[in-house]
Amino acid sequence: MRGGGLLVAGTTSDAGKSVVTAGICRWLVRQGVKVAPFKGQNMSLNSFVTREGAEIGRAQAMQAQAARVEPTALMNPVLLKPGGDRSSQVVLMGKPVGEMSARGYHGGRQQTLFEPVLACLEELRATHDAVICEGAGSPAEINLRRTDIVNMGIARAARLPVVVVGDIDRGGVFAQFFGTTALLAPEDQELVAGYLVNKFRGDVTLLEPGLDMLHGLTGRRTYGVLPYAHGLGIDEEDGLRVSLRGTVRESVVAPPVGADVLRVAVCAVPLMSNFTDVDALAAEPGVIVRFVDRPEELADADLVVVPGTRGTVKALVWLRERGLADALARRAAEGRPVLGVCGGFQALGEHIEDEVESRAGSVEGLGLLPVRVRFAREKTLARPVGEALGERVEGYEIHHGVAEVLGGEPFLDGCRVGAVWGTHWHGSLESDGFRRAFLREVAAAAGRAFVPAPDTSFGALREEQLDRLGDLIEEHADTDALLRLIEDGAPEGLPFVPPGAP
């Protein structure tokens, strides 16, 4: 096999495209297939820095790990990072190229990116046995089809077969499959080979009559019914909405080693980015991680995290309006632990000069750390390695803010004052020794008899989760049929489902 491919599309956002793509990658690599993931255009505030210093979506970095290959900018050539309801930063081949409104992007800029996106896909196909592509949203967004570079546009240009994933847990999956197919142009429908049902609970035999009827209506088969899998803890594309206040992140359900648990409250700031930083905390037995947006929810927290954000000044306004800024100041005065990461670190400082991100100019920070921040037009993208609390630490940096540290104890690239820590480094808590040392410090400051588990390996847990995804595909999908699709393309003679679209 050389240059095979498949596009995993979805009936909706969050249908499961990312995890299905990762699962297919892990299944294939276990069969000895050299495979790579690809997503032509991604909209996400959760991003990652590759070894060559390129910024890509974290979902594609996770899929690369599933495929056991090093992530590169080729795997996600266009990344859109929302800065508000109507504008995004455009990242091309891992580097920011400017801010653009949705109207401006879809009105012309997107089409100019089609050739570079297609070239990246073809380069991956030339060097791998198979490339598993992930779509975005739904391929049946008929208002956007003319400028599409991530769904049927790329599928038609590269002659990729398409499998459509639907989340049955939401209900209405048969209507979603049928409607998605029926709203595609005839040339696009020719590439839609069939469907994958995701997040099914119960007896699959009860679903089979519906699948048979769907086949009769569309002439397309279902390639598998994947069961609902709890606690996957896999990197997501989109930030948590504040309406999901109280959402708990957990990867492991295990009793604490010591007498106490540790409660972690994460401030759900606007434009929250890389909230996956706290997944390594949630992987520790006895650590409970919760996203919050009210000051009273900090009262019983042993650690409060102010996470990264694409809008540091906007986050400051939000923290003050909700009373969280005052609650953080009280915690600092009482010696109760607070951790700021990237934008959260900047917010904890004394002063911000921002003519780049918010263009708000001079803004006062929360004053909990002796740090002054100036926003630079050039983005810092790095993969630093260092030491903190006597342990080796690896991380990655994605920020426009340049911090001038004026005091405190050194902490990675930031500082510590009492029980308040701040750093630009994302991913530092994935370093097992450092995470355990940090949690011991937090437990001591919080007065908790919490003991970190001595053998928790975040990397090993992530591998286990990726193997679970591979198992879902291997055990619940028709892998022989999927392999034929990847090698040979969509079957000939698939029927047209009216009415279609122009």
Side-chain angles (χ1 to χ4, degrees), residues 174-243:
F174 294 118
Q176 292 172 28
F177 284 144
F178 181 85
T180 297
T181 309
L183 281 176
L184 298 178
E187 297 83 358
D188 291 343
Q189 288 195 24
E190 289 174 4
L191 298 171
V192 177
Y195 315 107
L196 261 173
V197 176
N198 192 30
K199 300 183 186 178
F200 180 71
R201 307 171 192 252
D203 184 351
V204 73
T205 60
L206 299 177
L207 192 65
E208 288 171 354
L211 300 179
D212 292 340
M213 292 173 66
L214 182 67
H215 182 270
L217 289 166
T218 67
R220 289 159 175 83
R221 56 167 300 175
T222 298
Y223 285 83
V225 177
L226 308 183
Y228 196 104
H230 292 276
L232 285 173
I234 294 298
D235 293 352
E236 301 174 55
E237 286 190 355
D238 302 318
L240 297 179
R241 297 171 180 85
V242 175
S243 61

Side-chain angles (χ1 to χ4, degrees), residues 298-355:
L298 306 189
D300 67 345
D302 302 305
L303 169 68
V304 174
V305 177
V306 187
T309 170
R310 255 278 282 159
T312 300
V313 171
K314 184 177 289 188
L316 273 169
V317 172
W318 183 87
L319 289 167
R320 288 178 168 127
E321 287 179 345
R322 290 178 173 260
L324 287 160
D326 290 339
L328 289 169
R330 287 193 297 271
R331 287 186 67 89
E334 294 165 0
R336 302 177 65 200
V338 175
L339 171 66
V341 180
C342 200
F345 165 44
Q346 296 165 7
L348 295 181
E350 297 173 350
H351 189 80
I352 293 171
E353 288 290 336
D354 182 11
E355 300 292 349

Side-chain angles (χ1 to χ4, degrees), residues 138-146 183-185 500-502:
S138 163
E141 306 287 0
I142 54 178
N143 56 315
L144 302 177
R145 176 62 184 90
R146 181 180 59 83
L183 281 176
L184 298 178

Side-chain angles (χ1 to χ4, degrees), residues 122-302:
E122 293 308 318
E123 186 172 343
L124 286 174
R125 294 182 80 177
T127 54
H128 293 79
D129 299 329
V131 178
I132 308 303
C133 307
E134 179 187 345
S138 163
E141 306 287 0
I142 54 178
N143 56 315
L144 302 177
R145 176 62 184 90
R146 181 180 59 83
T147 58
D148 171 42
I149 65 172
V150 65
N151 289 307
M152 300 312 300
I154 200 77
R156 197 192 297 188
R159 302 307 298 170
L160 293 172
V162 178
V163 171
V164 181
V165 178
D167 178 358
I168 197 171
D169 197 51
R170 296 182 174 187
V173 76
F174 294 118
Q176 292 172 28
F177 284 144
F178 181 85
T180 297
T181 309
L183 281 176
L184 298 178
E187 297 83 358
D188 291 343
Q189 288 195 24
E190 289 174 4
L191 298 171
V192 177
Y195 315 107
L196 261 173
V197 176
N198 192 30
K199 300 183 186 178
F200 180 71
R201 307 171 192 252
D203 184 351
V204 73
T205 60
L206 299 177
L207 192 65
E208 288 171 354
L211 300 179
D212 292 340
M213 292 173 66
L214 182 67
H215 182 270
L217 289 166
T218 67
R220 289 159 175 83
R221 56 167 300 175
T222 298
Y223 285 83
V225 177
L226 308 183
Y228 196 104
H230 292 276
L232 285 173
I234 294 298
D235 293 352
E236 301 174 55
E237 286 190 355
D238 302 318
L240 297 179
R241 297 171 180 85
V242 175
S243 61
L244 296 180
R245 181 180 57 78
T247 295
V248 175
R249 298 285 284 182
E250 64 178 8
S251 299
V252 174
V253 179
V257 174
D260 287 344
V261 298
L262 273 187
R263 293 174 175 83
V264 179
V266 184
C267 297
V269 297
L271 300 174
M272 182 167 48
S273 61
N274 286 62
F275 60 81
T276 47
D277 281 333
V278 299
D279 285 354
L281 294 177
E284 285 285 349
V287 176
I288 301 166
V289 177
R290 187 176 297 273
F291 289 82
V292 304
D293 64 355
R294 298 187 301 201
E296 55 268 30
E297 294 173 301
L298 306 189
D300 67 345
D302 302 305

Side-chain angles (χ1 to χ4, degrees), residues 14 22 46 101 182 215 217 349 367-368 403 446 448 471 477 499:
D14 200 33
N46 284 336
S101 68
H215 182 270
L217 289 166
L368 304 186
R448 296 288 186 187
D471 293 343

